[in-house]
Amino acid sequence: MRPATVLLIVLGACALASAEQKADAIFLKRQLQVLNLLRHLNQPLIDPELLVFKNSFSPLNNLNKFKDPTAVKNFLKLVTEGKLLERDAIFSLFDARQRAQMVTLFEVLYGATDYDTFLKAAAWARDRTNPRQFLYAFSVALLHREDCRGVILPPAYEITPHMFLTTDVVRKAYQAKMMRTPTVIPMKFTGSVNNPEQRVAYFGEDIGMNSHHSHWHMDFPFWWKQEYTVDKDRKGELFFYMHHQMVARFDAERLSNDLPAVEPLEWDQQITEGFAPAATYENGQEFPMRPDNMKFCDLPSLSVRDMKIVEGRIRDAIASSFVKTADSRLLSINNTAGVNLLGEIIESSANSVNPVYYGQPHNDGHVMLSKVTDPLQRYGVPPGVMEHFETATRDPAFFRLHKHVDNLFKLHKDLLLPYDVSELDFPGVKIEAVKVVGSCKASTPNQLITYFDESHIDLNNIVENVGREQPVDIKAVVSRLNHEPFKYVITVNSKKPVRGIVRIFLAPKLNWFGQRVPLDVARWGFIELDRFPVRLASGDNIVSRNSVDSIITVPEPRSFSNLVSDVEKAIRGEQVFSYDKYYRHCGFPRRLLLPKGKPEGMVYQLYVVVTDYDKDIVEPGIQPEDVENLSSLGYCGVMDGKIPDGRPMGFPFDRRIVSPEQFLTPNMEVVDITIKNVNQKPAE
């Protein structure tokens, strides 16, 4: 007999709120210093305190305050010999010489033994370094320093607006500045109705997603060295999974707009879709446009044949289930950890077991696409959008490149043994019912609503300030996809008190042809919506989880000006400034959790799985409350330490499914839901 009592479990909000704490005077001072350092990066410092540090601090006289004095000497040599990248040049992380300079500066900043030395060294280096080169090194150092935990970087699109905005918006912002006229400037997406790809430009050009992609590569730099003490747990697997989810999501957006799934790029075929970024670098050079039907060409140091050779070696490794190390050892990838080794090889990260042999197909793919219009640099064309993580997702070819890369991972995953029932089932636990409920009282169960609204971007950083003149309130307004908040209501019966992990996925029910998609095909396009721990009592449990608590997403960031205002008011004692030491800049925007759907409604399938927490967790001492406090865990892992969930990312849908009937165990449930978009087109 089932117990008559029902336990209601509401998850998320309380645990997440407990991670916030009131900022003290020390934190507030540090937060304001960081904000002042990042104002108008292309202009010399004007903040009085930072100016003193810039002019009086001598790194050479403070070598004892750095963990790596050699890095300090190397950077000083670059400065004194005039070998640093020019301040008005275009910084590319994919350029080996420019990246080496950036890494040297990072090692100086990251290696400062205390916060004061870190800040003084940053103030000293800021005006001596290329602005974006400095920004990247400073940001990565700040994100990984223990004494900077919780410090908030302003939105990336407000630090370097040129990298996110179209040329016409920038031009109008300068005009408004000269006229000293407060202005709101509408920004349109690139392309025209004549280009079918323009239908999904709202996704690829979403500034929040651009920012997420940029910050992911700051949290998990491909050049990260093992000696930096911070362990990047499962970094190769995260590289696979985050980009895999971006591609799956792009395909869902395409289906929402009556477009077929994106096709992978091939090195010997035409790049069918062109792209015109309609954007300009800070130095006035335009991002190059790519006409339709261009072909990959050899670069001075990289050929199309090179790309095919290293990819062939990776395919051979996948087929044989072994990778060859630099010292000729063979490492098996026919296991759960194999995808991590493969990810480190494909990106390729500094952790690749054999970077010379396997190359860096992902990074080189970005460069090949970036330089396709001027491969021999005959005309001095600047780097394309694919050469910067801030801008890459704007180009539809980004998703085609990553579909190609994703297919390599699929080859590997498909060679692994399918999960058997003992790995899938959670004995004694059964999901009785699942529904989703919108926040509106009049909402229809299992129907979710998406819509387009507007967001304002502070453009104060895009125009130079003269002296101490008051800034002009100039903003850009952009359309963005959003959705009404909702919650999952899951009824779970357990025969005894247990701890579980709830895993929630979403997938279109029908493909582009209107056909039902078999589970083994559909699984590779599953979009993870949430993953969270739960304590189940004996009997029926009603688990309620709000969409805003998803471990996939992060809330909308505060604007640059609001951050400054809030901190200054807190310093004056006019209000409280709270911060979260677990705060992550990396993560999908909360409003992008759901694909757009269609005006008439589009049917998706929601898959809910409850697995055994005590079997899944990597360390017995980790409590569910500890996991709840880790934001954007789904796509962004953890900054240091171990990712608490020991299951493969995407489990249990990451491997082949031979028999759906045997696969769907009692601890799983599938329901149809409808996603309805209430305004079909983004605002112009």
Side-chain angles (χ1 to χ4, degrees):
M1 291 285 294
R2 182 179 301 163
T5 57
V6 177
L7 178 65
L8 175 62
I9 305 169
V10 181
L11 294 161
C14 294
L16 292 174
S18 67
E20 289 200 348
Q21 53 191 293
K22 179 182 176 181
D24 59 18
I26 294 175
F27 182 90
L28 291 170
K29 181 180 180 181
R30 292 179 179 181
Q31 178 67 74
L32 188 60
Q33 288 170 332
V34 168
L35 295 173
N36 287 334
L37 190 72
L38 298 179
R39 287 182 193 255
H40 300 287
L41 274 177
N42 289 279
Q43 287 184 256
L45 277 170
I46 60 172
D47 180 76
E49 180 188 29
L50 297 177
L51 267 176
V52 171
F53 297 155
K54 169 189 170 182
N55 296 326
S56 64
F57 182 73
S58 170
L60 199 58
N61 293 338
N62 290 274
L63 290 177
N64 63 322
K65 294 184 178 180
F66 294 92
K67 296 176 183 176
D68 187 357
T70 302
V72 178
K73 292 176 183 177
N74 289 341
F75 188 73
L76 281 168
K77 185 178 180 181
L78 290 170
V79 173
T80 55
E81 294 182 359
K83 292 183 178 179
L84 279 176
L85 182 67
E86 298 84 357
R87 278 187 59 81
D88 64 347
I90 298 168
F91 168 64
S92 170
L93 192 60
F94 293 110
D95 184 291
R97 182 181 69 88
Q98 296 175 21
R99 182 173 66 252
Q101 293 177 1
M102 182 280 302
V103 170
T104 304
L105 175 57
F106 162 79
E107 291 174 346
V108 171
L109 299 176
Y110 181 62
T113 56
D114 57 71
Y115 173 81
D116 287 343
T117 304
F118 163 68
L119 180 71
K120 290 174 181 178
W124 177 87
R126 180 191 185 275
D127 295 346
R128 293 173 167 88
T129 314
N130 177 278
R132 287 187 55 254
Q133 195 176 35
F134 169 82
L135 174 63
Y136 186 85
F138 175 79
S139 299
V140 177
L142 180 141
L143 290 169
H144 289 86
R145 288 185 62 90
E146 190 67 33
D147 52 17
C148 293
R149 288 295 165 89
V151 173
I152 302 172
L153 290 168
Y157 45 82
E158 293 185 352
I159 303 176
T160 54
H162 284 80
M163 301 298 289
F164 296 87
L165 305 177
T166 52
T167 304
D168 62 316
V169 172
V170 175
R171 184 180 66 252
K172 290 173 183 176
Y174 274 105
Q175 291 172 348
K177 169 69 175 179
M178 287 188 291
M179 301 296 293
R180 299 201 57 77
T181 306
T183 307
V184 176
I185 306 166
M187 185 172 82
K188 297 181 180 180
F189 297 112
T190 59
S192 71
V193 294
N194 297 322
N195 178 10
E197 295 298 320
Q198 203 267 347
R199 298 183 211 167
V200 287
Y202 67 85
F203 182 72
E205 297 178 27
D206 186 279
I207 57 173
M209 194 186 69
N210 300 157
S211 183
H212 155 69
H213 184 242
S214 174
H215 274 293
W216 190 94
H217 286 279
M218 289 180 183
D219 285 359
F220 302 97
F222 63 83
W223 47 267
W224 190 263
K225 302 174 185 177
Q226 291 179 331
E227 57 261 35
Y228 290 155
T229 69
V230 175
D231 178 39
K232 294 294 179 183
D233 186 42
R234 297 165 68 179
K235 177 176 173 291
E237 186 178 8
L238 272 170
F239 167 78
F240 147 67
Y241 192 63
M242 191 279 288
H243 291 92
H244 168 72
Q245 286 289 295
M246 289 182 74
V247 172
R249 180 56 190 278
F250 186 61
D251 278 345
E253 296 299 337
R254 294 177 68 86
L255 286 176
S256 295
N257 291 278
D258 299 314
L259 294 172
V262 67
E263 292 291 329
L265 281 175
E266 300 296 340
W267 304 122
D268 54 1
Q269 294 180 11
Q270 290 182 334
I271 309 165
T272 310
E273 303 86 0
F275 180 61
T280 307
Y281 285 104
E282 176 75 25
N283 66 2
Q285 290 183 279
E286 293 184 356
F287 281 87
M289 68 88 66
R290 182 185 67 250
D292 290 343
N293 300 316
M294 292 206 71
K295 288 188 175 182
F296 287 106
C297 298
D298 294 345
L299 307 181
S301 59
L302 180 67
S303 70
V304 175
R305 184 171 177 271
D306 293 335
M307 299 296 292
K308 291 181 178 180
I309 288 173
V310 297
E311 183 176 316
R313 291 169 179 167
I314 291 171
R315 289 179 179 273
D316 288 344
I318 293 170
S320 66
S321 297
F322 287 95
V323 295
K324 183 189 297 184
T325 66
D327 57 0
S328 298
R329 290 180 296 117
L330 295 178
L331 297 179
S332 173
I333 57 173
N334 188 28
N335 49 52
T336 297
V339 68
N340 189 61
L341 276 174
L342 201 58
E344 290 171 342
I345 285 171
I346 291 174
E347 188 177 12
S348 107
S349 78
N351 291 338
S352 171
V353 296
N354 201 340
V356 174
Y357 185 70
Y358 292 115
Q360 47 182 20
H362 163 262
N363 292 353
D364 285 344
H366 272 262
V367 175
M368 293 285 280
L369 277 166
S370 167
K371 300 187 183 304
V372 71
T373 57
D374 187 17
L376 301 179
Q377 283 293 286
R378 185 174 297 173
Y379 306 104
V381 173
V385 294
M386 287 294 291
E387 209 157 330
H388 311 292
F389 292 127
E390 307 99 305
T391 57
T393 64
R394 296 166 66 174
D395 188 343
F398 169 88
F399 296 98
R400 293 197 60 195
L401 171 66
H402 278 280
K403 176 65 78 74
H404 180 93
V405 170
D406 200 51
N407 284 346
L408 294 176
F409 288 106
K410 188 175 188 298
L411 282 175
H412 162 68
K413 287 283 190 175
D414 284 354
L415 288 175
L416 299 178
L417 288 174
Y419 295 114
D420 61 38
V421 173
S422 65
E423 294 174 287
L424 300 170
D425 196 15
F426 189 179
V429 173
K430 181 181 181 182
I431 300 179
E432 302 282 3
V434 173
K435 66 177 178 180
V436 291
V437 181
S439 59
C440 177
K441 290 183 179 180
S443 62
T444 304
N446 291 345
Q447 178 174 284
L448 302 177
I449 302 297
T450 67
Y451 58 92
F452 287 94
D453 64 7
E454 293 183 341
S455 174
H456 288 80
I457 305 172
D458 186 343
L459 298 187
N460 187 43
N461 254 8
I462 207 170
V463 290
E464 295 182 357
N465 270 352
V466 180
R468 285 285 179 174
E469 68 178 12
Q470 287 296 311
V472 181
D473 186 20
I474 305 172
K475 291 182 170 62
V477 59
V478 296
S479 292
R480 60 183 193 174
L481 182 63
N482 207 334
H483 65 84
E484 292 184 359
F486 62 94
K487 65 179 178 180
Y488 312 96
V489 181
I490 308 164
T491 304
V492 186
N493 180 263
S494 179
K495 294 189 181 301
K496 62 180 181 179
V498 292
R499 301 189 297 182
I501 295 180
V502 180
R503 305 167 188 272
I504 303 177
F505 297 85
L506 183 74
K509 186 172 184 177
L510 306 176
N511 63 16
W512 188 56
F513 298 102
Q515 301 166 328
R516 180 77 178 267
V517 186
L519 181 57
D520 188 48
V521 175
R523 67 177 177 85
W524 199 249
F526 275 25
I527 302 162
E528 186 173 14
L529 296 184
D530 207 351
R531 188 190 333 153
F532 56 90
V534 62
R535 296 178 188 272
L536 300 174
S538 180
D540 280 342
N541 301 260
I542 298 178
V543 179
S544 179
R545 171 81 165 184
N546 290 318
S547 61
V548 297
D549 295 320
S550 170
I551 64 158
I552 303 301
T553 62
V554 292
E556 204 69 18
R558 277 183 277 195
S559 71
F560 204 135
S561 58
N562 285 345
L563 266 174
V564 172
S565 175
D566 289 346
V567 174
E568 289 178 339
K569 288 178 181 177
I571 290 173
R572 295 194 298 266
E574 297 173 8
Q575 67 179 42
V576 172
F577 186 92
S578 297
Y579 75 98
D580 178 0
K581 69 176 182 178
Y582 298 106
Y583 180 83
R584 298 291 297 277
H585 300 77
C586 174
F588 244 49
R590 183 175 286 169
R591 55 185 172 75
L592 277 186
L593 182 62
L594 296 177
K596 180 175 77 71
K598 295 183 177 182
E600 66 274 19
M602 181 172 173
V603 180
Y604 288 79
Q605 291 194 304
L606 191 75
Y607 286 76
V608 180
V609 184
V610 181
T611 59
D612 189 337
Y613 178 94
D614 294 303
K615 286 184 178 179
D616 296 350
I617 212 71
V618 292
E619 295 176 358
I622 299 176
Q623 298 301 313
E625 294 76 16
D626 300 327
V627 178
E628 275 286 281
N629 283 330
L630 299 174
S631 66
S632 61
L633 184 64
Y635 297 170
C636 301
V638 294
M639 289 297 288
D640 53 27
K642 295 289 186 182
I643 294 173
D645 182 7
R647 291 287 195 176
M649 295 172 194
F651 176 86
F653 301 103
D654 61 311
R655 296 190 187 182
R656 287 181 295 118
I657 299 172
V658 178
S659 169
E661 293 76 18
Q662 294 180 2
F663 178 86
L664 295 172
T665 48
N667 57 313
M668 303 185 194
E669 186 60 60
V670 187
V671 295
D672 286 359
I673 67 168
T674 301
I675 300 180
K676 185 175 183 179
N677 180 254
V678 296
N679 53 349
Q680 169 72 0
K681 294 182 179 179
E684 292 296 330

